[in-house]
Amino acid sequence: MKRWFVLTAIVAACSSEPRVEVLQGPRIAAPQSAGAALAVDTASGDLLMSWVEGDSAGYRLMFARSKDEGATWSDAVPVTMALDEVKPHAEASPRMVSANGVVAIFWP
């Protein structure tokens, strides 16, 4: 069963009145997910998301991209190929940055 991330975005931009939008994030296939990170691709303006997903058999770091401000998402792709190279952990979640079209995801 595939599940969806649900994102709540506070959009402040150029408005004096921030608004709250609830977006449907990328599909996840695993029963557990944690450690979501969001960034904007500075070259394209795409919304980027990474997260840890898995179950008792192991975890992987995943990545997806939205070219339309979160309305639709690319298929999720694994960043880590081997299971358990990353684990869900609130104090050591993966972080993501983007600059000049390069996306970097790092974790301890």
Side-chain angles (χ1 to χ4, degrees):
M1 175 171 133
K2 289 195 175 191
R3 302 166 195 244
W4 293 93
F5 267 108
V6 176
L7 311 172
T8 302
I10 299 175
V11 182
C14 299
S15 171
S16 60
E17 294 293 323
R19 68 184 194 276
V20 175
E21 292 184 28
V22 177
L23 306 172
Q24 187 166 290
R27 286 182 185 253
I28 58 170
Q32 298 174 9
S33 63
L38 291 171
V40 174
D41 185 326
T42 57
S44 66
D46 294 352
L47 185 58
L48 311 172
M49 185 172 178
S50 68
W51 66 95
V52 177
E53 75 175 36
D55 57 25
S56 60
Y59 293 89
R60 282 200 168 100
L61 181 59
M62 303 297 288
F63 173 82
R65 172 184 298 265
S66 174
K67 295 182 176 291
D68 54 12
E69 300 177 347
T72 61
W73 291 85
S74 68
D75 289 338
V77 295
V79 175
T80 55
M81 296 300 138
L83 290 177
D84 289 336
E85 287 182 39
V86 64
K87 297 228 188 233
H89 192 283
E91 295 176 7
S93 297
R95 302 289 186 242
M96 180 172 45
V97 295
S98 173
N100 302 318
V102 176
V103 178
I105 305 172
F106 51 96
W107 62 96

